[in-house]
Amino acid sequence: MAILLCVSLSLILLPQVGSVRNCHPGCRCEVENYGLFDSFSLTKVYCSGVGPSSAPIPIPLDTSFLDLSSNSIYTITDSMLTGPGYTTLVSLDLSRNYISEVHPNALSRLRYLETLDLSQNSLEDLTDGVFTGLPLTELDLSSNKIQELRLDIFSTKAHGKPISVDLSNNLLAAVSRRPHTGPPNIKSLTLAGNLLRTVPDLRGIPLRYLNLDGNPISSIEKDVFVDLKDLVHLSLSGLPTLTAIQPQSFKDLQNLQVLDLSNNPKLDSLNPEIFTGLIALQELNLSKSGVMSLPDNILSYVPSIRSLSLGKNIQCWKTQKQGQFHRQIGQTKSGEVLTCDVSDISL
Ligand SMILES: *[C@@H]1O[C@H](CO)[C@@H](O)[C@H](O)[C@H]1NC(C)=O
């Protein structure tokens, strides 16, 4: 009975993968049906490595995911991402091409696009307004050549004629799937491996995850993270030129839980005031950085800390004060201490 129940449950809940007729040569198309009577379906189209094409690759109506990675694409023109199927895309992968240019209205018809991967391309700059009007929540721009990121790429109106939409036949559909308007809604932004010299101004974006690893940032200035109060995870790892973090740089990040400052060899001392405001911080990674000791009173700055990594392989964690087997620092009134797994470092 139990087995029967499991089997029938899995038939209902697991997606049933089918194939699609009329899939473009070289692409692989999959339809996943969900729900009791396959009432809900997702079409995914994989066209990685099919080669460059200036005309849009035809994709099935209602495609929600499209992979166009590794296709030697240099420019995304205004017409490449148009046609039936493209308007319903929720996720688009353009990674591993040679893209150096995205035309101003190239993405403007992708009115339901939430996830966009442009990593491993040759972008130096993006036109103002290129992401305006897209309901993007996840944007990966890592491994490009971006020197400066302006907020205008998300908020200014794109150039050219606005796209008029005929609602007469399709009013219901338009109402139930209202396109995104208003301020950017990006929750996850990856800018790792670019040429940014400073932390870009991201004010007004409700980011939860931000990755700036591997950029030539030499200093973190006060107020660069101002307003990012929803941020949960901030990665500033592998910054070969980072020498200084100004006190109170992170003071608005009241929800930050993870701060990765690992692999920053030139960062060798920390003023405790750097940690001002990080009341929710649980994980701090300083491994392979130049920082070898921690301020005595660090626990009073980061009361929620659970784990901290330091040096080559030193782990510290917060415990209630008990025996004296380990070196302990930062004792607070409640008897909580930071305990590290070595006894011979100067903390
Ligand atoms: C800290 O960073 C190092 C180097 O980037 C990484 O190997 C390690 O897994 C990280 N530790 C934690 C606890 O995340």
Side-chain angles (χ1 to χ4, degrees), residues 159-186:
H159 307 295
K161 263 192 279 175
I163 293 144
S164 60
V165 182
D166 180 6
L167 292 178
S168 50
N169 289 325
N170 218 347
L171 192 58
L172 253 175
V175 170
S176 62
R177 305 186 65 181
R178 199 186 297 270
H180 177 76
T181 52
N185 190 31
I186 296 177

Side-chain angles (χ1 to χ4, degrees), residues 213 237-238 258-263 283-288 307-312 315:
D213 293 358
S237 171
V258 180
L259 176 58
D260 190 346
L261 287 168
S262 64
N263 283 313
E283 260 184 72
L284 174 61
N285 194 342
L286 286 162
S287 71
K288 297 180 189 153
S307 107
L308 197 154
S309 324
L310 200 66
K312 278 223 173 69
Q315 294 292 326

Side-chain angles (χ1 to χ4, degrees), residues 41-200:
S41 72
L42 268 180
T43 303
K44 298 183 175 181
V45 180
Y46 301 87
C47 303
S48 183
V50 296
S53 154
S54 53
I57 292 179
I59 55 175
L61 271 177
D62 267 335
T63 300
S64 54
F65 169 82
L66 175 61
D67 178 358
L68 289 174
S69 63
S70 304
N71 281 325
S72 307
I73 302 170
Y74 287 81
T75 304
I76 307 287
T77 64
D78 282 349
S79 61
M80 266 171 87
L81 303 172
T82 57
Y86 283 86
T87 31
T88 52
L89 281 185
V90 172
S91 178
L92 175 62
D93 184 351
L94 289 165
S95 65
R96 297 164 202 260
N97 282 290
Y98 306 108
I99 300 166
S100 60
E101 206 184 347
V102 181
H103 284 181
N105 285 314
L107 305 171
S108 60
R109 288 163 187 87
L110 311 181
R111 300 188 310 147
Y112 302 103
L113 193 69
E114 291 177 11
T115 305
L116 176 60
D117 188 348
L118 277 165
S119 65
Q120 303 194 56
N121 278 291
S122 304
L123 291 166
E124 288 178 21
D125 197 15
L126 285 158
T127 317
D128 286 354
V130 71
F131 301 127
T132 303
L134 308 182
L136 279 183
T137 57
E138 215 173 304
L139 177 61
D140 191 343
L141 291 169
S142 57
S143 300
N144 276 281
K145 298 172 182 165
I146 298 169
Q147 299 190 25
E148 191 199 359
L149 193 86
R150 296 176 315 278
L151 269 178
D152 288 345
I153 61 174
F154 303 111
S155 43
T156 305
K157 283 232 164 59
H159 307 295
K161 263 192 279 175
I163 293 144
S164 60
V165 182
D166 180 6
L167 292 178
S168 50
N169 289 325
N170 218 347
L171 192 58
L172 253 175
V175 170
S176 62
R177 305 186 65 181
R178 199 186 297 270
H180 177 76
T181 52
N185 190 31
I186 296 177
K187 303 284 196 304
S188 167
L189 178 60
T190 308
L191 288 164
N194 277 284
L195 301 173
L196 297 166
R197 299 191 161 274
T198 53
V199 175

